[in-house]
Structure formats: C-alpha cells, structure tokens
Amino acid sequence: MQSNIEQVTNIIRTLPFEDLEKLGKVIDEEKRAKQTKNTEVEKQLDDYAKAKKWIAENGENYMNQWVCLDGDKLIAHGEDGREVYRKAKEAAIKAPFIKRIIEEPEAFVGGWS
C-alpha cells in the first residue's frame, strides 16, 4: 500500500506542464498561509507571556480594576470591564489581554491530623 505522499507524487508526475504551474502557485500560497498562521500564534503566545509578566510586576497598582494589555503595553484600565474592552477595540488590538486585578488569596495547604 502506498502512502499519501507517494500517491500524490504519482499523480503529479502525470500532470501537464500548465497544471504543474498552477499546482506550484497553490503550494506556494498554502506555504505562505501556514507560515503566517504559525507566526501569528507565536506572537500571541509571546504577548500572553509579556502580559502575565506585566501583571506580576505592576498589578498591585491597578487593584480592583480591569486592565487591557497588548503584550506588555497597557492600553486601558478602569473599574468598568466593558469600557476597557471598548477601548481595546478602539485601539484596534487584535487579541487584547483583559483581566480584572484582584487580590489573590494565598494557597491553603492543610490536612487532617
């Protein structure tokens, strides 16, 4: 039994030159689309890490407020989450990181004695 790539390769070898040209363009477009998608995902992950670091370093200054970050850049903050979100959209942020800063309780570790 042939693998998918072997089957595709055999079909490609039977194509006329004009169809090979078209196929080459389709393959190039697919490569660019996948590369762009991978780059966007990597940027979002990097921005998320920067936002988490920013919150760890600056969050106490925005206690009980909503913050909107683009990476490590503060876009908006305030007590109304909808307003903060609206400002993010106005700033044309594709994937805004929005979080309400609250005092996190310390982890409780206990057991029965």
Side-chain angles (χ1 to χ4, degrees):
M1 178 188 264
Q2 290 183 326
S3 68
N4 288 344
I5 193 70
E6 289 170 335
Q7 291 173 351
V8 170
T9 302
N10 289 336
I11 292 169
I12 290 172
R13 288 190 175 123
T14 66
L15 294 175
F17 181 78
E18 295 81 22
D19 289 346
L20 285 174
E21 288 287 317
K22 291 177 187 176
L23 180 61
K25 289 178 184 176
V26 169
I27 290 171
D28 288 343
E29 288 171 7
E30 285 298 312
K31 283 181 183 178
R32 278 192 295 278
K34 287 185 177 174
Q35 181 61 44
T36 299
K37 184 177 179 181
N38 288 341
T39 302
E40 288 173 6
V41 169
E42 289 170 4
K43 183 187 180 315
Q44 287 177 355
L45 290 172
D46 185 52
D47 284 351
Y48 177 77
K50 287 178 181 177
K52 294 294 281 185
K53 182 179 179 201
W54 186 95
I55 287 173
E57 293 172 354
N58 303 289
E60 65 188 30
N61 299 325
Y62 298 90
M63 197 57 65
N64 298 316
Q65 293 185 46
W66 290 90
V67 295
C68 171
L69 300 164
D70 184 19
D72 56 1
K73 180 180 174 190
L74 180 65
I75 303 302
H77 66 91
E79 293 181 10
D80 183 352
R82 289 182 185 169
E83 180 66 17
V84 171
Y85 179 77
R86 186 186 63 73
K87 289 178 181 178
K89 288 301 174 188
E90 284 178 1
I93 307 299
K94 276 188 172 181
F97 181 91
I98 299 176
K99 178 173 175 62
R100 184 159 190 253
I101 308 295
I102 57 172
E103 189 171 342
E104 299 288 338
E106 292 197 26
F108 173 76
V109 179
W112 298 100
S113 51

